[in-house]
Amino acid sequence: GITLLLFVGAMGKSAQIPLFTWLPDAMAGPTPVSALIHAATMVTAGIYMITRSNILFSHSEITQTVIAIIGISTALLAATIAIKQNDIKKVLAYSTVSQLGLMFLALGMGAYTVAVFHVITHAFFKACLFLGSGSVIHALHGEQDMRKMGGLRKVMPITFWTMLISTLAIAGIFPFAGFWSKDEILMVAFEYNKALWIVGSIASIMTAFYMFRLM
């Protein structure tokens, strides 16, 4: 019982279904703030809390099942929303929600180490992506609509390369960090429950799709 209530707190903090809408709205803030707070530090607090109290959670199979299901549902839903977004920061915001869902999937399966590993790798590549998007927005004098962008590689080579590296990382391309952490989550899911593995793989493929759409 108490673990479910703790998880509700984690859902709000870490933007899971149905409490995820505040995160994209919070993207109105400055980009460095988004990079630190909304990608790396604050939103992963719910995952940290569950990992720290894993003794309680390991005793409750019901809670763990709920965590896994909500995590995978969030990962899939946020990925589908990200594909249709046109605001560069909104895409990254829903991408963050999607990755947090994968972390909760790992927690729900009892793979606490794997979840924290993904927290760490995600913090690096997502912060890099947000700072890159800030660089683009600044260069375009505040324009955030991706439909009005294009051909920036020639004029912003450094931003292009840093964003390409972090895009490859979040898409799970070998040998970047995201490949290792996502692979671990999907491997645990494969052994735990094939249905979770299939949905998780679909969400991850969608990640690659909307990130290269952004690129």
Side-chain angles (χ1 to χ4, degrees):
I2 196 166
T3 49
L4 275 171
L5 292 171
L6 280 169
F7 175 55
V8 172
M11 281 164 63
K13 187 72 169 168
S14 297
Q16 297 300 291
I17 291 172
L19 307 171
F20 64 92
T21 47
W22 67 267
L23 189 64
D25 294 344
M27 292 298 149
T31 322
V33 175
S34 303
L36 179 66
I37 309 243
H38 302 136
T41 323
M42 190 192 83
V43 288
T44 53
I47 291 144
Y48 177 75
M49 186 264 293
I50 291 180
T51 309
R52 288 289 297 196
S53 355
N54 68 68
I55 295 168
L56 297 173
F57 284 87
S58 297
H59 283 303
S60 170
E61 282 186 21
I62 298 170
T63 306
Q64 291 216 302
T65 310
V66 169
I67 293 175
I69 289 170
I70 287 189
I72 195 69
S73 312
T74 306
L76 192 64
L77 178 74
T80 52
I81 299 174
I83 286 175
K84 293 298 288 177
Q85 293 293 319
N86 291 315
D87 181 324
I88 188 165
K89 284 182 78 177
K90 284 276 198 300
V91 175
L92 292 174
Y94 282 110
S95 163
T96 302
V97 177
S98 180
Q99 299 306 306
L100 289 166
L102 286 175
M103 296 169 202
F104 275 109
L105 170 65
L107 292 175
M109 298 184 298
Y112 302 103
T113 326
V114 179
V116 174
F117 182 35
H118 196 52
V119 167
I120 304 294
T121 57
H122 172 260
F124 282 94
F125 55 66
K126 185 53 64 68
C128 184
L129 283 165
F130 264 119
L131 292 171
S133 76
S135 169
V136 170
I137 292 165
H138 181 70
L140 298 178
H141 304 291
E143 181 58 66
Q144 294 193 19
D145 189 336
M146 296 193 300
R147 291 168 298 187
K148 298 178 183 172
M149 301 176 187
L152 297 172
R153 179 169 65 96
K154 294 185 183 73
V155 285
M156 306 177 70
I158 297 172
T159 304
F160 169 75
W161 285 111
T162 51
M163 282 201 74
L164 180 65
I165 290 167
S166 36
T167 299
L168 290 171
I170 193 175
I173 309 288
F174 182 84
F176 296 99
F179 165 78
W180 302 101
S181 56
K182 272 196 179 179
D183 192 55
E184 287 272 314
I185 292 175
L186 291 173
M187 189 184 74
V188 173
F190 186 77
E191 291 165 6
Y192 186 85
N193 183 324
K194 295 290 185 287
L196 290 177
W197 172 70
I198 291 168
V199 181
S201 301
I202 293 169
S204 298
I205 291 163
M206 287 162 76
T207 301
F209 178 81
Y210 64 68
M211 284 316 300
F212 281 101
R213 171 178 173 261
L214 184 147
M215 279 303 284

